[in-house]
Amino acid sequence: MKIDTLNQGVNRRDFLAASGKTALGAAMVVGAGTLVVPSQGWGMELKSLKPETMATMIQMARDIYPHDRVADKYYAKAMRAHDDTGAGDADTLAMLEDGVAELNARAGKVGMEKGYGSGGYLDLGWEADRVAILRDIEDSGFFQAMRGSLVVGLYNQKAIWPLFGYEGASAHLGGYVERGFDDIDWV
Amino acid sequence: MAAPYDLNDDSVVVIIGSGAGGGTLGNELAQKGIDTVILEAGGRHEAEEFINDEWASFGQLAWLDKRTTSGDWRVAKDFSGLPAWIVKAVGGSTTHWAGASLRFQEHEWKAKTNYGDVEGASLLDWPIDGEEMAPYYAKAEDKMGVTNTNGIPPLPGNNNYKVFEAGAKKLGYERVHTGNMAINSQDRDGRTSCQQSGFCFQGCKFSAKWSTLYTEIPKGEATGKLEVRANAHVLQIQHDDSGKVTGVLYADKDGNQHVQKARVVAVAGNSIESPRLLLNSETSMFKDGLANSSGMVGKNYMRHMTASVYAVFDKPVNFYRGTTMAGIVQDESRHDPSRGFVGGYEMETLALGLPFMAAFLNPGGWGREFTSALDMYDHMAGMWIVGEDMPQESNAITLSDAKDQYGLPAPNVHFSDHANDVAMRNHAWRQGTAIYDAVGATATYPTPPYPSTHNLGTNRMSADAKDGVVNKWGQTHDIANLFVSDGSQFTTGAAENPTLTIVSLAIRQADYIAEQMSQKNI
Ligand SMILES: Cc1cc2nc3c(=O)[nH]c(=O)nc-3n(C[C@H](O)[C@H](O)[C@H](O)COP(=O)(O)OP(=O)(O)OC[C@H]3O[C@@H](n4cnc5c(N)ncnc54)[C@H](O)[C@@H]3O)c2cc1C
Ligand code: SF4
């Protein structure tokens, strides 16, 4: 899985400036087969999923496992696998595209009811509104596929472990025997 | 003859599986000069190849062949294809195990007598008792280097233990210590002491923790009387017209099939594969599977009453540093029906790395409630709870409609809690939570059972041939030269982690097999 760094060569005129109200939605710029977050210096090229679909999936990933100290690119990296799978598997691709379309439709209804306007999932600015939609669909195959892959794909990224204070393997350093296995003094 | 052995050599004892039961039995027989072949479905990964990364290690060592689940246990919903965490590798689950090594308590050998009739439970007394097992326990503790036995000092307590101990003592618990662990607290038996690396569940790269992989197996091989054939997956046990077993059919790593002849066959594939193999070996002579005249093959599946409690504190704990499970409270392991259940449970320290914590803290959980727990990962302490569960005939390994990679029926693992299990778990959750509350936990999480690590009872030992599959030696009631040598022999589960008992039974069984062979009874 590789997250491409921002491709400077991409013609900015190709981009649709997202009118999103989530932080991520506002920062993302989608182009033909690409998704770029200029302010965060990363982007990705997509093989199968529509960039708008991937953008929504990344937001959904954050709403499923919200860690405010974990940057978007790690969620994006976890979602990347779906694009790879979708490239070789039409059923999966359809399941994801349909799932996101459903999410956007539900979000549009909520937006109208609440007076935010009829945008999609990325236009719902409050996490609580988005989470309420996810609760309604949490038994769906789409949600389960998203959550199931994310629980491994997100937390298995060594780059985020330090944010949680997890140091991981220690054998190459001689274990924790001299490195704090019994160092707390507050009990 | 000396190892390696010819496929047509029908003088050998063939053991299926190289874990706690099979690996121990193999070495014990070899030490007695008996020609022995262990057929192990998994590959051989030496300690230096172990990967200290939870998912990568799981991918390297876990048994991932097709399995299905049913019953009302949550594992069937959360991990429907992974009912159990068992290893497929030379060394079996002793590569992944944590090392907690406890003897049964006297009353647990006679559960039916001591607990009385428990509705819905198929309790039975073991045909053996603590006195008979004592010398074998002593041998096993010495072999495995269990701390707090044989003059072996205890392990030092890590951070997770310090929190656990302080809370337990505040609550008034008295039997609180760093455990009886098959982990070297000092150099012993050619292996180094524990370096507190924190990856006991991923295979000990220092070989400080006992595993048949680097103890029993090389010791047996050194005699020239033990051959361990890795990547040899047994598909069927074969027999002759007289009903004696004659050998086994297995697939090698390329899928090519061979028959290894045998004088004696011992099944030690853990409590899901062992009964499945007997069931899959059915013939016109044994229509319900081998050794199944009682109908008990696969029945009475036990997995221990388990649960966990994780707690968050306002100060860091860094509980992942050091041994995974060296800490125990034993006060609740007694049989005391006034608590609302029969049997008892142990509380043992437990730490998971971040990836496994995410997967197991609250399977299926998501949202801020879930992530606020994980955000406090380095401020967490944790314990595992393990208690005696009630055997139930309806909890069973059966042949599924699904097929494995060889086209054989996969095992279905059916389990539902007994009311006694539920009552015990609720009590244990309360007490575990109280331990952490006593030292100022800011949040506690009662965590449901993981895929089974203690799989027991599916070829149970019984005095009477109609009640179980094997006799007091692990010899099948029906076929004299067919043995069961793993945890599937367990008549009841007791509160204790099972491996010390599996190893002790294997040592004892080796004596019996040797005697029976020399008397030409088998
Ligand atoms: C993470 C974890 C932690 C644990 N911690 C503890 C602990 O602290 N204390 C404790 O007492 N217990 C613990 N256990 C349980 C312990 O590992 C098991 O009880 C013990 O290893 C079971 O021994 P066994 O011989 O029945 O099976 P195993 O050790 O599982 O060995 C079975 C072997 O048979 C092989 N096999 C199966 N089918 C076939 C076939 N058809 N052909 C060829 N080979 C086959 C398998 O590949 C495997 O290698 C733990 C288990 C796990 C997973
Ligand atoms: S903590 Fe000790 S026993 Fe466990 S893996 Fe590390 S060195 Fe081995």
Side-chain angles (χ1 to χ4, degrees):
Chain A
M1 278 189 298
K2 173 167 159 282
I3 293 289
D4 319 307
T5 46
L6 178 60
N7 183 346
Q8 305 289 351
V10 176
N11 184 341
R12 291 191 64 97
R13 275 173 311 177
D14 289 346
F15 294 154
L16 276 167
S19 63
K21 288 176 190 150
T22 71
L24 178 64
M28 276 188 301
V29 192
V30 295
T34 51
L35 174 64
V36 184
V37 185
S39 57
Q40 297 175 11
W42 64 269
M44 63 205 287
E45 274 171 22
L46 293 154
K47 290 188 240 168
S48 66
L49 287 163
K50 290 188 213 142
E52 295 85 350
T53 302
M54 177 53 84
T56 304
M57 284 168 57
I58 295 169
Q59 181 64 53
M60 180 178 168
R62 178 178 285 289
D63 293 336
I64 293 174
Y65 293 127
H67 291 288
D68 300 341
R69 290 182 295 182
V70 174
D72 292 324
K73 65 180 174 188
Y74 300 110
Y75 291 97
K77 200 167 185 173
M79 288 294 99
R80 176 88 175 208
H82 288 299
D83 186 56
D84 295 339
T85 314
D89 177 351
D91 289 346
T92 301
L93 187 61
M95 186 263 292
L96 295 169
E97 291 286 0
D98 292 351
V100 168
E102 163 84 13
L103 211 56
N104 282 325
R106 285 173 181 258
K109 261 175 73 187
V110 172
M112 287 304 279
E113 280 162 21
K114 298 218 166 183
Y116 309 145
S118 67
Y121 189 77
L122 286 169
D123 294 302
L124 280 183
W126 286 99
E127 183 179 311
D129 289 330
R130 300 192 302 275
V131 166
I133 294 173
L134 297 182
R135 287 277 168 221
D136 285 341
I137 64 155
E138 73 177 327
D139 293 328
S140 68
F142 168 60
F143 183 90
Q144 289 303 327
M146 288 284 289
R147 196 205 59 76
S149 66
L150 190 59
V151 76
V152 178
L154 179 64
Y155 298 106
N156 209 25
Q157 294 181 48
K158 289 197 172 72
I160 68 168
W161 291 355
L163 300 171
F164 294 85
Y166 178 48
E167 296 165 282
S170 69
H172 59 296
L173 302 169
Y176 290 108
V177 68
E178 304 288 348
R179 300 171 50 255
F181 82 102
D182 64 348
D183 64 353
I184 58 169
D185 53 11
W186 57 266
V187 281
Chain B
M1 287 292 291
Y5 296 96
D6 192 85
L7 287 173
N8 288 315
D9 187 340
D10 59 5
S11 71
V12 299
V13 175
V14 164
I15 301 171
I16 301 160
S18 62
T24 303
L25 179 64
N27 180 32
E28 291 289 318
L29 292 176
Q31 297 296 336
K32 296 175 195 294
I34 295 173
D35 299 299
T36 307
V37 177
I38 295 182
L39 299 176
E40 167 55 56
R44 189 159 182 160
H45 307 279
E46 300 298 344
E48 57 275 13
E49 295 164 51
F50 290 154
I51 309 169
N52 282 180
D53 174 314
E54 291 175 313
W55 285 118
S57 170
F58 190 78
Q60 180 188 41
L61 298 175
W63 183 284
L64 300 172
D65 293 11
K66 182 81 189 163
R67 281 177 176 163
T68 60
T69 44
S70 57
D72 67 15
W73 56 329
R74 224 181 111 171
V75 168
K77 173 170 176 280
D78 297 330
F79 304 99
S80 60
L82 189 76
W85 180 0
I86 293 176
V87 171
K88 183 186 197 175
V90 174
S93 305
T94 67
T95 57
H96 270 193
W97 81 314
S101 301
L102 303 168
R103 294 188 183 198
F104 277 25
Q105 302 166 80
E106 193 57 44
H107 67 266
E108 291 170 330
W109 294 105
K110 305 292 169 193
K112 184 166 173 73
T113 302
N114 292 316
Y115 303 163
D117 281 329
V118 177
E119 203 189 320
S122 48
L123 284 170
L124 197 66
D125 288 346
W126 286 69
I128 50 179
D129 60 20
E131 194 185 324
E132 190 167 347
M133 286 303 290
Y136 298 101
Y137 270 141
K139 283 185 186 170
E141 286 163 344
D142 179 48
K143 180 193 275 295
M144 299 162 79
V146 176
T147 57
N148 291 311
T149 75
N150 295 289
I152 302 171
L155 284 161
N158 68 350
N159 287 332
N160 198 26
Y161 177 71
K162 283 183 168 181
V163 176
F164 176 81
E165 180 194 49
K169 291 202 163 153
K170 275 203 175 150
L171 272 194
Y173 283 133
E174 285 166 359
R175 298 175 61 202
V176 187
H177 55 95
T178 60
N180 298 110
M181 303 299 294
I183 293 179
N184 277 352
S185 55
Q186 56 193 18
D187 294 359
R188 189 176 190 274
D189 197 24
R191 294 180 289 116
T192 185
S193 64
C194 172
Q195 303 301 303
Q196 303 289 344
S197 65
F199 282 86
C200 306
F201 279 4
Q202 281 67 40
C204 179
K205 287 181 85 73
F206 297 97
S207 306
K209 178 191 80 178
W210 180 84
S211 168
T212 55
L213 173 65
Y214 38 74
T215 59
E216 306 311 303
I217 287 169
K219 283 181 187 179
E221 287 171 330
T223 66
K225 291 287 184 180
L226 172 65
E227 179 190 347
V228 178
R229 220 171 284 164
N231 300 302
H233 193 132
V234 177
L235 309 174
Q236 185 192 46
I237 301 168
Q238 302 184 332
H239 65 83
D240 61 18
D241 292 342
S242 75
K244 272 181 20 189
V245 296
T246 54
V248 304
L249 173 73
Y250 72 91
D252 66 21
K253 91 173 172 311
D254 303 315
N256 297 321
Q257 299 191 358
H258 312 274
V259 173
Q260 172 65 55
K261 296 239 167 80
R263 176 171 170 188
V264 173
V265 172
V267 188
N270 206 319
S271 296
I272 298 177
E273 291 311 311
S274 290
R276 173 187 173 229
L277 183 57
L278 296 177
L279 295 173
N280 269 337
S281 299
E282 45 92 31
T283 58
S284 54
M285 187 167 175
F286 297 110
K287 290 198 170 57
D288 299 321
L290 289 189
N292 198 18
S293 64
S294 64
M296 287 295 140
V297 171
K299 302 279 172 65
N300 306 298
Y301 170 65
M302 295 176 286
R303 59 180 312 276
H304 270 143
M305 183 293 296
T306 67
S308 305
V309 177
Y310 294 98
V312 168
F313 296 86
D314 57 349
K315 302 202 182 62
V317 180
N318 290 318
F319 74 150
Y320 55 85
R321 294 183 189 162
T323 45
T324 303
M325 200 171 256
I328 193 165
V329 172
Q330 301 203 270
D331 299 64
E332 299 286 1
S333 64
R334 69 193 191 279
H335 169 55
D336 170 9
S338 74
R339 291 173 299 178
F341 52 87
V342 299
Y345 61 88
E346 313 273 357
M347 294 183 266
E348 301 172 348
T349 54
L350 174 66
L352 300 178
L354 182 72
F356 273 16
M357 188 57 84
F360 297 118
L361 174 67
N362 180 16
W366 59 278
R368 279 206 187 261
E369 186 189 11
F370 181 82
T371 53
S372 74
L374 286 185
D375 279 334
M376 298 303 285
Y377 174 79
D378 57 354
H379 286 52
M380 267 186 182
M383 72 170 79
W384 195 54
I385 293 157
V386 50
E388 177 158 14
D389 60 340
M390 289 296 106
Q392 301 177 71
E393 224 173 277
S394 52
N395 286 342
I397 311 305
T398 54
L399 298 180
S400 167
D401 293 335
K403 300 281 192 288
D404 73 1
Q405 67 271 36
Y406 302 106
L408 291 173
N412 183 67
V413 182
H414 181 92
F415 187 86
S416 296
D417 277 322
H418 186 277
N420 196 76
D421 309 343
V422 175
M424 188 190 288
R425 182 176 298 114
N426 286 330
H427 190 274
W429 266 331
R430 266 199 310 280
Q431 294 309 111
T433 302
I435 285 180
Y436 291 130
D437 283 341
V439 275
T442 57
T444 50
Y445 301 96
T447 291
Y450 314 127
S452 317
T453 54
H454 298 176
N455 298 278
L456 303 167
T458 51
N459 292 305
R460 75 176 178 182
M461 190 183 279
S462 63
D464 191 330
K466 74 176 193 318
D467 295 329
V469 181
V470 300
N471 66 15
K472 64 187 290 191
W473 306 105
Q475 181 179 34
T476 61
H477 288 301
D478 298 355
I479 303 174
N481 65 340
L482 177 61
F483 288 76
V484 174
S485 315
D486 59 16
S488 66
Q489 296 173 83
F490 278 36
T491 309
T492 53
E496 292 73 26
N497 315 56
T499 305
L500 179 72
T501 303
I502 295 173
V503 171
S504 304
L505 288 170
I507 298 170
R508 179 169 165 276
Q509 187 179 68
D511 288 350
Y512 179 77
I513 290 177
E515 179 199 292
Q516 292 295 303
M517 285 174 76
S518 72
Q519 292 174 5
K520 305 268 185 300
N521 291 334
I522 52 176

